[in-house]
Amino acid sequence: MPATPRPSLLATRYGVAAVVGSDPAARSLEIYGEWAEHETDLLSGLLDEGNTVLEVGGDYAAHAMWMSPAVGATGQIHVVEPHRLRFQRLCANLALNGLDNVFAHPLWLGRDADATLAAAREPGSVRTATLDSLALDRLHLLKVNLPHALVDAIASGEATLRRHRPLIYARLSGLNESAGEIAAIKALGYRVWSHLPFLFNVDNHAGAEDNLFPGIVHQNVIAAPLEGRFDCTGRTEL
């Protein structure tokens, strides 16, 4: 049997992270000490002390480590991660950094996770729950990192989203699904803007110069309720 890979304990921009894997997030954390930092650049002006965030997709807690001190002791971060090993790695990093205002949930938000994951060629059977069933007292930001999860999460949380009217920040799932994902957000009464952050950050935490992701961007959107005053000036509205 091949040897089981041992986790690397990394000093990242926002905390210590145990990382196992060769996916883009793992490679970025290992080489650059950060992951998708241009996303945090945009969101850093949108989080305040006492806010509640729901993040879908753990990404080794790379962004939860940043959001936890940003919302402070009176705020909460809820991270939903449906994949068992990724969930365990998420929890390990939350514990390593003592992030007691971050709550991890081993769930798929929706009603048919197995069919969705099978269509996305993702292995495994996972527990499902609705976003509404989390019964969040407040919600200021819904952040979706996981491909193919946005539409299910929105559909399962319509009551929560209509009650709290959070900002929504999401990575789209590709050309075949992006139009439906944007339409699902707009159907809730939201304006939607494009955000195309490069995966490589020249000013990365490690000071590394080699670009592992030349020309690669995330196809993201940021959305705000129509009735609010939020305006993403300078970005293309979709």
Side-chain angles (χ1 to χ4, degrees):
M1 292 180 60
T4 302
R6 301 182 64 183
S8 300
L9 199 60
L10 307 173
T12 74
R13 183 183 290 270
Y14 300 110
V16 177
V19 174
V20 177
S22 58
D23 57 279
R27 293 173 66 204
S28 183
L29 286 165
E30 182 178 3
I31 302 302
Y32 304 126
E34 63 186 40
W35 165 239
E37 184 63 15
H38 291 305
E39 294 185 4
T40 69
D41 288 345
L42 175 67
L43 295 175
S44 62
L46 305 178
L47 287 185
D48 292 317
E49 182 112 5
N51 281 180
T52 294
V53 178
L54 174 60
E55 185 176 37
V56 181
D59 282 350
Y60 301 96
H63 289 179
M65 288 189 288
W66 159 69
M67 292 188 291
S68 173
V71 303
T74 59
Q76 293 185 353
I77 310 296
H78 293 265
V79 185
V80 172
E81 174 54 67
H83 301 91
R84 180 175 59 85
L85 289 178
R86 296 180 196 176
F87 176 76
Q88 291 169 345
R89 293 165 188 163
L90 164 71
C91 291
N93 291 334
L94 298 179
L96 280 170
N97 291 279
L99 303 182
D100 57 4
N101 64 346
V102 182
F103 304 86
H105 308 269
L107 299 170
W108 176 272
L109 294 182
R111 293 180 174 83
D112 197 1
D114 293 343
T116 303
L117 292 175
R121 298 183 180 178
E122 291 275 1
S125 178
V126 300
R127 292 173 56 201
T128 62
T130 65
L131 193 161
D132 287 337
S133 72
L134 298 179
L136 299 174
D137 291 335
R138 50 191 176 173
L139 182 61
H140 300 88
L141 173 67
L142 170 63
K143 183 177 185 292
V144 180
N145 309 323
L146 198 64
H148 316 289
L150 177 59
V151 172
D152 276 7
I154 288 175
S156 76
E158 187 169 339
T160 299
L161 298 176
R162 291 198 181 279
R163 180 168 66 252
H164 297 306
R165 307 302 279 160
L167 294 175
I168 298 173
Y169 186 77
R171 298 177 196 158
L172 301 179
S173 304
L175 291 177
N176 292 333
E177 295 182 54
S178 61
E181 291 171 328
I182 293 168
I185 297 173
K186 287 186 173 183
L188 291 171
Y190 275 72
R191 297 174 68 188
V192 182
W193 294 266
S194 174
H195 184 224
L196 305 175
F198 284 94
L199 267 61
F200 176 66
N201 175 27
V202 173
D203 298 318
N204 63 80
H205 180 66
E209 296 181 359
D210 291 341
N211 184 354
L212 298 178
F213 312 110
I216 299 177
V217 298
H218 275 149
Q219 304 289 325
N220 293 359
V221 292
I222 183 165
L226 287 169
E227 69 274 14
R229 296 182 178 179
F230 183 88
D231 195 341
C232 207
T233 304
R235 303 203 179 276
T236 301
E237 187 166 0
L238 303 174

